[in-house]
Amino acid sequence: MWGDAFLFIPNDLGPAPADPAAQLRWYTLRDLNAFHHSRHRADFEDARKHRTRKRVDMLFARLAKHDPLHAGTMQVMNHVLKTLPESARKAVTKVFSRCPLETLEFYKELRGAAGKVMGANHHRRRRDGR
């Protein structure tokens, strides 16, 4: 996986050789590895975050397509997030942006609440004759 490519400095070259020409090659490769690692680490971390965000977006797109309670669940989610303190809201949205499974679990829990709200509204409309 691309995200794991730069967790550690790649190509550990071991100890420097005794031969002067091989030492020059060894130091050059070591420095190039360190330079390449430091230069592209942020790019790979951004790519990992982007792929995770895409997975979360795809998850919500699929839910919107297949779940009849999606609109109500999203309203309940937004309401719950608005009731949280600012620091908790930021923490929850950070979790949503980096973990699709936690997002899905939160969605499932609030989908039950949305079902109850929709059911209550449905019964209220039937009683009122709408």
Side-chain angles (χ1 to χ4, degrees), residues 96-111:
F96 288 170
S97 66
R98 70 175 180 256
C99 188
L101 292 177
E102 292 296 326
T103 305
L104 184 60
E105 287 299 317
F106 188 70
Y107 182 88
K108 285 179 185 177
E109 290 176 11
L110 292 182
R111 187 180 189 281

Side-chain angles (χ1 to χ4, degrees), residues 53-113:
R53 265 185 260 126
K54 277 192 94 147
R55 270 187 255 137
V56 171
D57 292 343
M58 283 177 32
L59 172 71
F60 278 121
R62 285 182 185 158
L63 288 170
K65 184 176 181 182
H66 298 292
D67 185 13
L69 291 178
H70 177 73
T73 305
M74 293 306 291
Q75 288 177 351
V76 171
M77 282 179 77
N78 289 334
H79 174 72
V80 168
L81 289 175
K82 286 179 185 174
T83 60
L84 293 175
E86 185 66 27
S87 59
R89 187 177 324 134
K90 286 180 183 178
V92 169
T93 53
K94 284 181 183 178
V95 168
F96 288 170
S97 66
R98 70 175 180 256
C99 188
L101 292 177
E102 292 296 326
T103 305
L104 184 60
E105 287 299 317
F106 188 70
Y107 182 88
K108 285 179 185 177
E109 290 176 11
L110 292 182
R111 187 180 189 281

Side-chain angles (χ1 to χ4, degrees), residues 9-61:
I9 295 181
N11 301 329
D12 184 20
L13 301 172
D19 179 36
Q23 277 186 358
L24 179 63
R25 181 176 182 277
W26 185 88
Y27 283 117
T28 303
L29 285 174
R30 184 198 64 185
D31 294 343
L32 282 174
N33 278 339
F35 173 74
H36 181 72
H37 177 75
S38 64
R39 181 174 176 201
H40 293 290
R41 176 182 213 131
D43 295 337
F44 280 93
E45 288 174 359
D46 287 345
R48 185 182 322 139
K49 289 177 187 175
H50 176 72
R51 283 192 306 272
T52 304
R53 265 185 260 126
K54 277 192 94 147
R55 270 187 255 137
V56 171
D57 292 343
M58 283 177 32
L59 172 71
F60 278 121

